[in-house]
Amino acid sequence: MTNFTEEIKTEIIKNFSGGKEEYLAALSAFVRTSGSLIKSGADFGFELYTESEQTAHFFSDMLESVFNVEISDFSSRSDLSSGKDKLVFSCVNSESSELLKELGVLGEDGEGRFLDFSIGSVADGKSCAAAYIKGAFLGGGSCTLPDSASFASTGYHFEVVFRNKNTAADFSDLLCGFDILAKLVMRKDSAVVYLKSIDAISAALTVMDAQKSLDRLKETARTRGNANNENRVNNCSVSNIDKSLSASVKQVQAIEVIRTTIGLQSLDENLFSVAEGRLADKNASMQELADRLKISKSCLNHRIRKIMEIAKSLAQD
């Protein structure tokens, strides 16, 4: 059977659409996951690499046709760690330096140029955010399905690997904007954002316009007899993700409203500890959060309601 990761990447490339802003977001994510910066004289450039020929052509064509940046080198190299060949293409000139600034990878201030590890404004707006997620998966993503011979509920795994934890954390927030709650873990020198549930992976595939891959996921779930998850998988709308996860997202969004308007320090000590605890672990259940804060679940619910009311009032103002 076709490698599931490659199936998804093929769909992303085939269905990719949008204007220059969407291409900019996708390229920025690809540079963050499958690229390294290089310098020649005063010019900064980048070297990009991938095992996928179609991915290499997708981004090299994008560089030349959308951004008018000439590829200076295109070659194949053997990766000793994986034993696989990688296609490598690079660009370093004055145009590449300017493009890196557009991508938000290279910043500049009074003291000179610097690497910017935040995603920044390149992924502002739903369409650009979705394009960024697609580009990140093309560069550092993989997705696996369970062994079809096994009927256990585990084995679903979706991940995107970043070189920097700050970028990975921003990417987790980007997924949160689509009501997808991801986890982040450090793996040696890499930061990995991952999803394990069928619902979350379904939502990610929907955002990436990978309908055929989503259909394959659904078929796998049916074959494995996951009756409890089947209705949610069949209805792959992001709005139908597990209620407890959606509640956590709403709580985080409410806390962010308070933080960006009047600041969390304006809350009393009890509400502040709840807000801080929720931001520290966006995936914790209400019971887990209550246990961590050493309060009852009913007390936590009461404080959460107060936070939501404050956020609602601020939003109306």
Side-chain angles (χ1 to χ4, degrees):
M1 188 175 285
T2 306
N3 179 286
F4 192 48
T5 296
E6 289 306 313
E7 183 177 318
I8 296 169
K9 291 183 178 182
T10 297
E11 275 202 271
I12 290 173
I13 292 172
K14 179 180 179 181
N15 298 331
F16 196 94
S17 63
K20 185 176 180 179
E21 291 183 347
E22 284 75 21
Y23 281 105
L24 196 70
L27 180 59
S28 177
F30 189 72
V31 170
R32 302 278 192 186
T33 52
S34 277
S36 58
L37 296 192
I38 52 179
K39 189 180 180 185
S40 177
D43 294 324
F44 283 87
F46 46 83
E47 185 174 73
L48 306 174
Y49 37 86
T50 175
E51 294 175 4
S52 167
E53 184 175 346
Q54 63 174 347
T55 300
H57 286 297
F58 175 69
F59 282 103
S60 60
D61 289 347
M62 179 193 301
L63 283 166
E64 293 180 341
S65 63
V66 178
F67 300 106
N68 297 317
V69 173
E70 184 178 352
I71 303 298
S72 55
D73 182 52
F74 204 118
S75 61
S76 176
R77 299 179 192 171
S78 179
D79 187 338
L80 297 179
S81 61
S82 66
K84 297 180 180 179
D85 288 337
K86 286 190 174 182
L87 293 170
V88 181
F89 51 106
S90 59
C91 179
V92 52
N93 49 45
S94 58
E95 288 80 10
S96 62
S97 297
E98 290 304 310
L99 179 57
L100 284 170
K101 287 193 284 185
E102 280 191 81
L103 295 172
V105 175
L106 197 64
E108 189 169 17
D109 57 21
E111 298 182 0
R113 293 172 176 174
F114 60 91
L115 288 177
D116 188 346
F117 294 108
S118 67
I119 288 179
S121 61
V122 71
D124 284 352
K126 286 291 185 181
S127 63
C128 287
Y132 196 96
I133 293 169
K134 295 173 186 177
F137 190 84
L138 288 174
S142 64
C143 189
T144 57
L145 298 178
D147 183 352
S148 59
S150 170
F151 288 89
S153 61
T154 58
Y156 299 91
H157 186 83
F158 174 106
E159 69 174 41
V160 178
V161 181
F162 291 88
R163 295 180 176 276
N164 182 270
K165 187 176 181 179
N166 292 337
T167 313
D170 280 0
F171 185 74
S172 294
D173 291 340
L174 208 61
L175 291 173
C176 188
F178 291 94
D179 285 356
I180 303 172
L181 289 179
K183 293 188 177 181
L184 193 161
V185 65
M186 295 302 298
R187 186 187 295 162
K188 294 184 179 180
D189 295 328
S190 300
V192 182
V193 178
Y194 69 94
L195 310 170
K196 298 291 287 187
S197 76
I198 297 174
D199 291 330
I201 296 173
S202 296
L205 293 176
T206 301
V207 171
M208 295 191 299
D209 295 327
Q211 182 60 47
K212 288 184 178 179
S213 300
L214 179 59
D215 290 341
R216 179 172 166 184
L217 173 65
K218 290 160 58 178
E219 180 60 31
T220 300
R222 282 195 294 268
T223 302
R224 289 163 57 84
N226 291 332
N228 290 334
N229 289 324
E230 189 169 344
N231 288 337
R232 287 197 298 270
V233 176
N234 286 338
N235 184 358
C236 60
S237 169
V238 175
S239 62
N240 287 332
I241 294 177
D242 186 81
K243 289 182 180 179
S244 63
L245 295 180
S246 295
S248 298
V249 171
K250 291 177 182 178
Q251 292 164 17
V252 170
Q253 291 172 340
I255 293 168
E256 287 295 331
V257 169
I258 297 172
R259 185 183 67 80
T260 57
T261 52
I262 59 175
L264 296 183
Q265 296 296 336
S266 64
L267 299 174
D268 65 38
E269 183 178 349
N270 291 334
L271 297 186
F272 178 83
S273 66
V274 169
E276 190 176 45
R278 172 51 79 197
L279 290 180
D281 192 346
K282 299 175 183 178
N283 299 297
S285 67
M286 291 293 281
Q287 187 61 61
E288 289 171 339
L289 186 55
D291 292 343
R292 194 164 297 141
L293 296 173
K294 297 181 179 180
I295 59 177
S296 67
K297 187 176 178 181
S298 61
C299 179
L300 176 61
N301 280 325
H302 177 70
R303 294 179 185 179
I304 286 289
R305 281 196 296 271
K306 283 191 173 182
I307 288 173
M308 301 293 282
E309 290 170 1
I310 293 171
K312 183 177 180 181
S313 175
L314 291 171
Q316 290 174 343
D317 292 340

